[in-house]
Amino acid sequence: MLFICLIMVLYKHMSDKIEQILIKIIKIGVIIILFLPILVYKQVLFPYVFAKILVFQIMVEIILAIWLVLVVNNQAYKVNWKNPLIMAVTTFMGMLTLTMFTGVDISKSFFGNQERMSGLFSVLHFYAFFIILTSIFKQWKDWQKIIWSSLFCSVLVGVYGLGQKLGLDLLIKNKALQMNSTFGNPIYLAVYSMLNIFLAIILLLKEKIKLSQILAGLVVVFNLIIMLLAASRGVILAFGGSLCLFFILLVFLSQSKKIKIGLSFLIIIIVSCFILIQIPQIKTQLTNAPIFVRRLAYFFNSSKSRLISWEIGWQGFKEKPLTGWGWENYDVVFNKHYDPWYLSKGYNATWFDRSHNQVIDLLAMTGILGVLSYLIIFGIVFWLLFKKIKILDNLKQKIPFILLVLMFLAYFIQNLFVFDTPSALIVFYVGLGLVYFFTKQPVSQISTPAPKYFPLPLLIFLIIICLPWIMYEYNIKPFYQSKLAMKGNNATKIINLKAGLPWYEKSLQEQSFVNPEIATQMSMKIAVEYKDLEKADLPTLKQATELAIREYEQSVMQHPFNARLWLYLGQLYGLGSNYNRNYIDKAEECLIKAKNLSPRRQQVYFELSRIYGYRNEYSQAVDFLKQAMELDTSIATPITNLKRFLTALEEIDPELVATTREWLTELNKK
């Protein structure tokens, strides 16, 4: 590896030239990171997130290794641990680490999953990214390059989204009304665009070259269009609110009466338009309005699913108020307090791993310690920026710092409707680094050797030994496993399960945090095959089922509080009972564990009913279907399942059918 060879030449001394080369490598690495939001890799299970974050982690690990060498050799790159912003971010990371150990699933807290890639391991990479930014980027010209890189990437992301709308064949298809571009989710795109709008305006105000100002202005307009096409109500509200607040501040701070009057009218127009589209009679006239207008018109028609999820998160916080259930363990809380109403939205809508409110997520997962440390970051940002604003002489100098305040305020507000996402976090931590740069106390830039608290040769040796292993074990290996699993998915979809099974087997040969999701993908294909056993390739189906069962058996041992894994293992045992009757008892054991972890989840009762049906214990099978129905009598699925089961039982146990139908009649009367 070239960067390791480069580090080895520092065994005795580091010349100024070599030092500058290393700094340049770090700066190039940071620029590459800023372009990662455009990356989409379709050959893994989660193409919008997984590959992005793996590349991000590898890049951070490389530049971190080089940065450590610089820090050990030269005190000029020493981190200012006494800076309040660095202290606040470090404290937050410390709280996340603490709650990992006090939570219910350390492994899940540390690794997270493929879909989100927000485990502590990934979060610590963002922290390292922030520390490197504060240590290396000490001049405005460096930050100009960073901001321009982020803005250029945001334009590429927007162009990709427009290409999707035009139906370009080489891009991942998106037929939804809301644009999602390279993020796979319109909310993620909207917040990313919003952050870049703020950065572009700040750059517009600070650039001195006319052409640069024009380009920055065009980027502002372009990202605004993309944000509106993404049509995330929370993001538009956060941006619009911060914009109105900015105008209000200018009304008070400006010396020009014309500007005061103009801005006052603009505020009135914005607020009036928002109020008008909430009127029912006007809403009905908006069918042909742009998508963002239609969505804003129903802003106060809050999603019931999110409101319930917020309440569940609050219940989890009350149970573990100090340190919570552990980072990344919101799903444990959700399953424990699951509301049966979710089934009315379909099976896919019954699994939540986030409450869709960052503060409530933190309350449930990290308790009061975690949420306070998170809020302190924003408090420190606002405090530092307001101190800076206070000492500046004129309004023109103050505006860029006011905009930084509003950027973080808008980010916080929109996070009350969603949660941190990887691409937005890259820009968020760039913003934190920018706040540090603008507000830090002046220090000497003289390059001096660092005190030899840690021998440079030993550090180089540790990097050479540890870094390749970390990169392989936690980035490269999971990537190839996910890629093999995707080949299995594609082969199964295009040909059959027999063609896909070898790829699944290869993907599961080694253990890593991606295995449960690979097993889930394979299990979905297996379940489809069992729907028509007469046409299925039984030997292949049995082999695939056994592979999935073995994988889930390991997964439930690693994640014993995960109701979903217990449910899926129980389902697999139930399916496997077609060729191994001993699996019926194992299926019941797993489903009972799932029921204990999620006592109000109807799917568990459906599966238990199926198991008792296999045993010809029809009365108990009916009882489980009745219990599932009683959890929420307004949902059609449990009623449909019960009626189908009764139809199948008509000739087998007519008396049970008759009494159950009488029970149904009485229940309907109530």
Side-chain angles (χ1 to χ4, degrees), residues 178-279:
Q178 294 171 257
M179 183 185 288
N180 60 38
S181 188
T182 59
F183 299 104
N185 187 310
I187 300 174
Y188 303 171
L189 172 61
V191 65
Y192 176 76
S193 298
M194 181 192 75
L195 291 173
N196 278 288
I197 289 172
F198 281 106
L199 290 180
I201 298 173
I202 292 168
L203 198 59
L204 169 64
L205 295 172
K206 291 189 74 66
E207 283 284 6
K208 293 180 172 56
I209 302 172
K210 194 69 175 178
L211 179 60
S212 298
Q213 293 174 340
I214 293 170
L215 289 175
L218 291 173
V219 173
V220 171
V221 175
F222 183 77
N223 270 298
L224 180 61
I225 293 170
I226 299 302
M227 185 186 76
L228 295 177
L229 289 173
S232 167
R233 291 174 295 181
V235 173
I236 294 174
L237 173 72
F239 180 77
S242 64
L243 192 64
C244 286
L245 181 57
F246 178 61
F247 292 155
I248 291 169
L249 289 172
L250 289 183
V251 168
F252 286 101
L253 295 174
S254 176
Q255 303 297 318
S256 170
K257 287 186 178 181
K258 289 183 179 180
I259 292 176
K260 288 176 181 286
I261 294 171
L263 290 175
S264 298
F265 273 114
L266 189 57
I267 294 166
I268 293 170
I269 290 170
I270 293 172
V271 175
S272 298
C273 288
F274 181 73
I275 294 172
L276 281 173
I277 62 175
Q278 307 305 316
I279 299 172

Side-chain angles (χ1 to χ4, degrees), residues 102-114:
T102 59
V104 296
D105 191 334
I106 293 177
S107 177
K108 179 73 181 300
S109 294
F110 187 71
F111 292 111
N113 57 37
Q114 286 185 79

Side-chain angles (χ1 to χ4, degrees), residues 419-597:
F419 45 85
D420 285 331
T421 56
S423 293
L425 275 177
I426 292 175
V427 187
F428 175 79
Y429 279 99
V430 165
L432 287 180
L434 196 58
V435 171
Y436 174 86
F437 171 74
F438 280 139
T439 62
K440 71 182 189 308
Q441 295 297 318
V443 294
S444 173
Q445 298 297 319
I446 298 173
S447 177
T448 58
K452 298 297 182 180
Y453 298 123
F454 196 92
L456 182 59
L458 179 58
L459 174 63
I460 294 171
F461 174 76
L462 290 175
I463 289 172
I464 293 171
I465 295 298
C466 297
L467 187 60
W469 178 80
I470 292 171
M471 290 173 62
Y472 172 76
E473 188 68 22
Y474 300 126
N475 298 297
I476 297 171
K477 184 174 80 172
F479 169 78
Y480 277 110
Q481 287 181 270
S482 186
K483 190 173 181 179
L484 289 168
M486 193 65 189
K487 288 183 178 180
N489 275 0
N490 292 335
T492 302
K493 182 179 179 180
I494 297 170
I495 307 173
N496 54 35
L497 183 60
K498 187 173 183 178
L501 184 56
W503 295 111
Y504 287 126
E505 289 177 326
K506 289 179 182 178
S507 70
L508 293 169
Q509 283 179 350
E510 295 189 74
Q511 279 297 311
S512 78
F513 71 94
V514 302
N515 286 38
E517 287 160 299
I518 294 174
T520 298
Q521 294 290 322
M522 181 173 61
S523 298
M524 291 165 63
K525 304 296 186 293
I526 291 170
V528 171
E529 294 289 317
Y530 272 102
K531 289 181 179 179
D532 193 352
L533 278 175
E534 293 183 1
K535 296 181 180 179
D537 179 349
L538 295 181
T540 299
L541 188 55
K542 178 181 177 182
Q543 184 182 353
T545 304
E546 290 296 316
L547 174 62
I549 285 174
R550 286 197 302 272
E551 190 55 46
Y552 270 117
E553 285 174 340
Q554 294 179 22
S555 294
V556 295
M557 293 298 291
Q558 294 169 354
H559 311 286
F561 294 95
N562 192 317
R564 191 175 192 175
L565 295 178
W566 284 109
L567 171 61
Y568 287 174
L569 180 56
Q571 289 174 327
L572 282 168
Y573 276 134
L575 295 172
S577 66
N578 284 285
Y579 60 84
N580 185 345
R581 299 296 292 179
N582 294 328
Y583 278 164
I584 292 180
D585 291 338
K586 289 187 175 183
E588 182 186 14
E589 291 175 11
C590 292
L591 293 170
I592 292 298
K593 287 181 179 178
K595 180 174 175 290
N596 292 336
L597 292 169

Side-chain angles (χ1 to χ4, degrees), residues 36 50 109 119 152 176 185 276 290 297 339 388 402 424 462-463 487 499 514 522 607 626 643:
L36 288 179
F50 189 56
S109 294
F152 187 36
N185 187 310
L276 281 173
D339 190 316
K388 183 73 174 181
I402 293 172
L462 290 175
I463 289 172
K487 288 183 178 180
V514 302
M522 181 173 61
E607 294 303 321
K626 289 162 91 176
K643 287 181 177 179

Side-chain angles (χ1 to χ4, degrees), residues 19-66:
E19 183 177 306
Q20 291 306 310
I21 290 172
L22 295 183
I23 292 171
K24 182 167 279 192
I25 292 172
I26 290 175
K27 290 181 177 180
I28 292 171
V30 169
I31 299 301
I32 291 171
I33 287 170
L34 293 170
F35 277 91
L36 288 179
I38 193 63
L39 175 64
V40 178
Y41 190 73
K42 295 189 284 187
Q43 303 306 315
V44 291
L45 292 181
F46 297 95
Y48 295 106
V49 174
F50 189 56
K52 275 187 183 75
I53 299 306
L54 290 184
V55 176
F56 169 76
Q57 290 174 176
I58 289 172
M59 290 306 304
V60 170
E61 287 157 13
I62 292 171
I63 64 176
L64 178 63
I66 297 172

